[in-house]
Structures are given as structure tokens and as C-alpha cells.
Amino acid sequence: MENNAKKVEAIFPQGQKGPAEVFTGNAYNYGLVAPDDVFTTAVGNVYFEPGARSNWHSHPAGQILIITDGVGYHQVEGGEIEIIKKGDVVKCPPNVKHWHGASAHTGLQQLYIVPNVEKGIVDWMEAVNEEQYGQAEK
Ligand code: MN
């Protein structure tokens, strides 16, 4: 099926473009819950345009992703690229190196939940290069 024309629905505003130092392509973050002393949790939405993805990174306290539309990829270092899509829930355990983003032809809308932010939110690493990203198409 040709996905080029598939429309990815947005629930939340698009938000701010993520910095090129830690995202390849266009990714937008919209914060929904700012961490505070009571909930110590950060919640927000990221929209990845087709082909856009995060750098490799880890979360000191882990992260939960809830995919609300589109098609994307998630990969833990040393593992295969997994396809993620609307309705999927992904748990990224603490301190596990991984990346996530859109597929090549369809964007991705993902909610993220980062618990226990007093431990830290994200430790950024190197970009996911074209060869690594291209493995998803094989
Ligand atoms: Mn992550």
C-alpha cells in the first residue's frame, strides 16, 4: 500500500521544532505536563515528519511511548528495528540506548511519559545515520 498520501491526525498543537543537534529531520515537541515535585513526571507529544527521528539516547528513569497516529520505528541498540503504529504502547527501560521516529513515508504522533524526572529525563548520544535508518526498509 502506498502511504505517501496518508494523513497523520494531530490531537495536540504541533509545538516547537526539536533542535538539529538531537533530531534528524523535522520533529516537534509539545509539552502537556511539566514535571513538578508532586508528580515528578514529564508528559508531552512529539510529531515526527516522515523520515524524522531522534538521535540515539537513553532515559535515566525510562520512558513510555503511546502512539496516537501514523507509522514509525523504534530500535533498542543491538536489536532489530520495530515498526510502531497507532495504538501501540512502548516501554523503554531505564538506561537502555534506543531511538524512535517516523517511518520513511508516514509521519508519527507519539505521546511520551517520563517518570521520576528527579533521576534525569534524557541523555543524548549520536545521530541515527542513513545506513542505520535504512535497515527498516529491508
Ligand atoms: Mn526515548
Side-chain angles (χ1 to χ4, degrees), residues 54 57-59 63 65 74 92 98-100 110 122:
S54 72
H57 63 279
S58 63
H59 306 280
Q63 176 185 51
L65 303 175
H74 168 248
C92 310
H98 69 285
W99 65 272
H100 31 102
Q110 60 150 66
V122 58

Side-chain angles (χ1 to χ4, degrees), residues 101-137:
S103 64
H105 301 294
T106 304
L108 183 76
Q109 293 277 6
Q110 60 150 66
L111 284 166
Y112 61 85
I113 301 168
V114 178
N116 304 317
V117 295
E118 68 278 9
K119 295 178 181 176
I121 293 177
V122 58
D123 294 323
W124 290 111
M125 303 170 198
E126 73 277 12
V128 176
N129 63 42
E130 294 300 326
E131 183 184 352
Q132 292 169 328
Y133 186 78
Q135 292 299 311
E137 301 296 303

